[in-house]
Amino acid sequence: MALLGRLGALLQRAVATEEPDIDLLAAFTEHWKGLTHYYLETTDENKPAKQTDIPWHLKQMLDILVYEEKQQPPGETGPCLEYLLQHKTLETLSTLGKAEYPPGMRSQVLLFFSRLLGQMQCPLLHYLSVYRPVQKLLQLGPELEKEMMQFIAVLCTKIRQEPALLPYVLEGKHKGKHVANGQNVDQPFQPQEATAESSDHVSKEIDPVKQGERLCPGMDPCGVSLVEPASSAANLVTSLINLCKSKKRKVAVKAQENLLLLTSIDHPTASLALAQDSMLCPLVAGYLCFLYDAVPADIDPANVAMLQPVSWRLQGNSAEENSFLEQLDLEVFFAWLDFCDCLVKGAPPTVARLLAEAVGQRLFVGRLQPQLLQMSEDGILLSTAILTGLVRQIRAPALIQELVVFLLRTGREPEVLEDPDHQPYHCLCSQLIERCNHLSDEISIVTLKFFEELLHLPDPRILQSLVLHNLEERRYILKIPSVQEEHSSQEQEPCEDGLELEEDPYFVDGFPAVGFQASRKPAVPAPKQPVQSEEKMDVKEVVNSFLCLVPSEAKTSAYLEEGGYDTYVHDASRMFGECLTNTSHWNWPQASQPLESCLAGSHFYEGHFLKVLFDRLAQILDQSYAVNLQVTSVLSRLALFPHPHLHEYLLDPYLPLAPGCRTLFSMLIRVIGDLMQRIQRVPDFPASLLLVRKRLLGLVPEDQQISHQMLLEGVVVLEEFCKELAAIAFVKSVPKGTL
């Protein structure tokens, strides 16, 4: 037993004495000296780095550092890492890489830095001797995109894990003066020499935020040197943005992914650094404007309108057979716009706001506004089509806010009927609304499409600005006097713009056999108070009011094998569900404001937007089929919104109107009255109408000229529009989930 005990002790001593024989620091310094001696001994300066011992020395150094870290207790720094930090090893390597000597050295250095930062577990970027060479490497040219992207991806991963490290990677200029440890930070910083005290200092784990000034006197709170202001603006963010512009699709997507990862860090120190020191906002917005300027001015606006939303991830992956010549330029612009939208959507509030403001000022105000306000019709068509695509693409709340402020007025006062010589309340908004009734049908259509797309944005200020401002006080309703006789006498007075259903002579005389039930209903009910939205009227009566507006001799859908009214209900149900989802958090009232609490005021004005739409609707029998479709599409979209005042104003057929007021239903009555007079002048009206409808459906060729074609096309649109309104009224009156 004693012999076995002595043997065990000898073995233990042998193992214990074997470990010190592996001197990691000596091996590390030997490899570093072997690398540096190459530059003293080489005679062939053109020999590629791959064919030298440099890659092998770098790999051995890295392996030693990784092995050493695994042997150290957590939080302690080994002698090899201390040597690396104290002897400017990385600084020397970055200088050699920048000099590209020998050829290919830059690639080797980037690879070494990527592996070092990626494989070491302890945070290194807050050390001056690490982040300064990292900054130097970030300023290298874009020749080695693959290696640079790999290096930057590791940096972003490390910063994601430790967000407070970001200021130590970014270059910037110090703002203001601070005093750190009794030293004015404007004084030059002298790096500490390798002393015993400094060795003890770097061997401890240091909080990069609390100890930033102690590590680096002469630095501002964000870790930016004041000694050598960056001669170049290159930093982590600028390098990423440059890589985002790469012609290599994989590199560009990888760069965009890492930029998204970087900007999505929700940390106050990182957010402040991104917002103030990174040039992120001006560079992203500036490149967006550059791509906008690159879109050819002679591109067909119809092609812009047909372009589907572009994803920054999928842009350029497939070429469509029906693609047009300028499609690539357009897709690149919208792809970067989609990327900006994702950046703003995922960024912390501070960064998102500044980035959205930069896009708003540079693209919306600086580029789009002058082109939208120009006089050239071709320019108006193109800029409005691009604006529509932009509205279709944007979904980040901060960008939507910038867009709404740019496009619409922001005051809460109702609009007033402006004097023609008076400056409009918002030049751009007024111009866009006026163009819905432009002499050029093309301009009218593209502008109406823009407003239809605008109404899909999830922002209540759009409806508030365009429509709801003027409906809040419900001045369109005839307030019933307390004395019934006064009410009756007022009811008999003619209202030029506010005729009720029974008061319109065309309506009564033109529908002798239609069986429209509303004609037997009292025009103005006689309760003690006016009809409130809470008092739900019969859904069937409302639906029939719209379905029976068009006389039977002007209806053609029954003669064709088409989807009936159920198809309209299905479509309306789907669209209303989407509308409810978008408006669920808008805090709209559930019921109309009581008339007693509404302020008495001047004559009701429906507002500029509704006025133009109603004026267009009044011309439905005298304008092109395409314009009619777009006008009715915008009105249908408005009718879908669940605001009680908007629902009442657009979908209540029995609303007692104040003198001079008009609603959607009263406008349709006037159009029907005009139609009944003009039908008599169209020879063989039913057959001609049926032929036009078949032609519109593509069932018959356009091989002959039809007289009164515009009128007949207007009748077709009118019938379909009334069905849409009936379906919307029905869907909005049915409890959710019962269809």
Side-chain angles (χ1 to χ4, degrees), residues 286-539:
Y287 188 53
L288 184 63
C289 294
F290 171 79
L291 295 176
Y292 177 82
D293 294 338
V295 175
D298 58 349
I299 189 173
D300 187 352
N303 289 332
V304 180
M306 290 188 299
L307 188 70
Q308 295 300 312
V310 181
S311 168
W312 64 270
R313 290 183 182 273
L314 304 177
Q315 179 261 326
N317 280 1
S318 59
E320 299 179 0
E321 294 181 359
N322 57 348
S323 61
F324 48 94
L325 183 62
E326 307 89 350
Q327 183 167 336
L328 181 59
D329 295 322
L330 200 60
E331 284 185 344
V332 169
F333 165 71
F334 280 113
W336 189 256
L337 177 67
D338 181 59
F339 179 66
C340 292
D341 189 67
C342 293
L343 281 177
V344 175
K345 194 184 302 180
T350 302
V351 179
R353 177 177 55 82
L354 292 176
L355 187 53
E357 288 177 357
V359 173
Q361 286 299 315
R362 295 191 175 218
L363 179 65
F364 300 164
V365 178
R367 294 296 197 279
L368 275 170
Q369 182 166 285
Q371 296 191 9
L372 289 168
L373 294 176
Q374 64 181 303
M375 301 303 295
S376 166
E377 290 194 5
D378 291 339
I380 291 173
L381 287 171
L382 179 57
S383 57
T384 308
I386 292 179
L387 178 64
T388 305
L390 184 144
V391 171
R392 189 185 302 121
Q393 195 89 44
I394 288 178
R395 284 301 176 267
L399 267 181
I400 291 177
Q401 178 177 344
E402 287 295 319
L403 186 64
V404 170
V405 172
F406 165 67
L407 290 172
L408 306 174
R409 72 188 190 113
T410 56
R412 293 192 59 84
E413 305 80 15
E415 298 176 52
V416 294
L417 191 59
E418 296 282 358
D419 187 333
D421 298 328
H422 191 274
Q423 181 68 23
Y425 61 86
H426 187 297
C427 183
L428 178 58
C429 180
S430 180
Q431 287 275 9
L432 290 171
I433 293 175
E434 282 294 331
R435 286 174 187 164
C436 294
N437 200 10
H438 199 274
L439 291 175
S440 166
D441 281 356
E442 288 182 315
I443 291 180
S444 294
I445 291 170
V446 74
T447 310
L448 286 165
K449 285 181 178 178
F450 155 71
F451 278 106
E452 183 181 9
E453 203 64 51
L454 188 66
L455 292 172
H456 282 82
L457 287 182
D459 194 311
R461 291 169 298 177
I462 297 171
L463 266 294
Q464 191 69 33
S465 175
L466 291 176
V467 180
L468 294 179
H469 277 313
N470 287 55
L471 303 182
E472 287 179 345
E473 300 300 329
R474 302 175 72 195
R475 292 174 183 166
Y476 47 84
I477 293 181
L478 176 66
K479 294 188 177 181
I480 304 173
S482 58
V483 181
Q484 183 64 30
E485 289 77 12
E486 293 181 8
H487 163 71
S488 301
S489 62
Q490 288 184 7
E491 188 175 320
Q492 299 301 322
E493 294 177 2
C495 299
E496 182 178 354
D497 293 322
L499 291 176
E500 295 301 328
L501 185 63
E502 297 77 35
E503 295 172 344
D504 195 299
Y506 302 137
F507 186 86
V508 177
D509 298 339
F511 301 97
V514 172
F516 182 50
Q517 301 299 323
S519 62
R520 296 193 295 272
K521 184 180 178 71
V524 181
K528 293 182 180 180
Q529 295 181 350
V531 176
Q532 302 292 324
S533 61
E534 300 90 10
E535 301 172 8
K536 301 293 184 182
M537 62 182 67
D538 191 336
V539 178

Side-chain angles (χ1 to χ4, degrees), residues 6-67:
R6 287 195 209 86
L7 288 173
L10 289 171
L11 288 172
Q12 288 180 359
R13 281 197 295 271
V15 173
T17 56
E18 188 177 355
E19 281 296 326
D21 291 341
I22 304 176
D23 191 340
L24 296 179
L25 180 59
F28 185 83
T29 55
E30 191 66 27
H31 283 295
W32 176 241
K33 290 177 181 178
L35 188 150
T36 55
H37 283 170
Y38 167 82
Y39 291 91
L40 301 175
E41 300 171 355
T42 184
T43 57
D44 185 2
E45 297 183 354
N46 296 321
K47 189 176 183 179
K50 282 185 177 182
Q51 299 177 14
T52 68
D53 291 336
I54 291 176
W56 182 75
H57 286 303
L58 289 174
K59 185 178 185 306
Q60 296 305 312
M61 291 169 61
L62 178 65
D63 290 343
I64 291 172
L65 289 170
V66 173
Y67 175 79

Side-chain angles (χ1 to χ4, degrees), residues 491-609:
E491 188 175 320
Q492 299 301 322
E493 294 177 2
C495 299
E496 182 178 354
D497 293 322
L499 291 176
E500 295 301 328
L501 185 63
E502 297 77 35
E503 295 172 344
D504 195 299
Y506 302 137
F507 186 86
V508 177
D509 298 339
F511 301 97
V514 172
F516 182 50
Q517 301 299 323
S519 62
R520 296 193 295 272
K521 184 180 178 71
V524 181
K528 293 182 180 180
Q529 295 181 350
V531 176
Q532 302 292 324
S533 61
E534 300 90 10
E535 301 172 8
K536 301 293 184 182
M537 62 182 67
D538 191 336
V539 178
K540 292 183 179 180
E541 291 182 353
V542 176
V543 171
N544 285 332
S545 297
F546 286 103
L547 289 179
C548 298
L549 267 177
V550 179
S552 57
E553 57 266 35
K555 293 181 179 180
T556 57
S557 57
Y559 298 98
L560 300 173
E561 295 181 0
E562 295 181 344
Y565 174 66
D566 291 343
T567 303
Y568 289 89
V569 172
H570 180 271
D571 293 341
S573 177
R574 175 183 54 80
M575 292 186 292
F576 183 57
E578 296 173 356
C579 194
L580 282 177
T581 301
N582 286 338
T583 60
S584 59
H585 59 285
W586 288 3
N587 298 320
W588 274 354
Q590 297 298 312
S592 301
Q593 182 180 355
L595 284 177
E596 294 80 1
S597 63
C598 294
L599 299 175
S602 58
H603 175 75
F604 170 73
Y605 174 52
E606 61 263 37
H608 197 185
F609 187 55

Side-chain angles (χ1 to χ4, degrees), residues 667-719:
M667 292 302 302
L668 290 172
I669 289 176
R670 289 179 172 275
V671 172
I672 295 297
D674 186 22
L675 172 64
M676 296 308 297
Q677 283 190 333
R678 297 169 67 172
I679 280 178
Q680 311 302 324
R681 299 196 292 268
V682 179
D684 200 9
F685 175 79
S688 299
L689 181 63
L690 185 60
L691 179 61
V692 166
R693 188 178 185 90
K694 288 182 177 180
R695 175 179 290 183
L696 292 174
L697 293 172
L699 301 178
V700 296
E702 299 183 12
D703 55 356
Q704 59 179 343
Q705 186 69 26
I706 302 177
S707 61
H708 301 88
Q709 181 172 338
M710 190 172 290
L711 168 66
L712 297 171
E713 290 176 346
V715 174
V716 173
V717 175
L718 189 61
E719 180 185 358

Side-chain angles (χ1 to χ4, degrees), residues 608-629:
H608 197 185
F609 187 55
L610 282 177
K611 176 185 180 299
V612 170
L613 291 179
F614 284 172
D615 290 346
R616 269 297 193 184
L617 184 63
Q619 306 170 44
I620 195 171
L621 303 178
D622 298 295
Q623 58 195 9
S624 71
Y625 180 70
V627 170
N628 286 337
L629 284 181

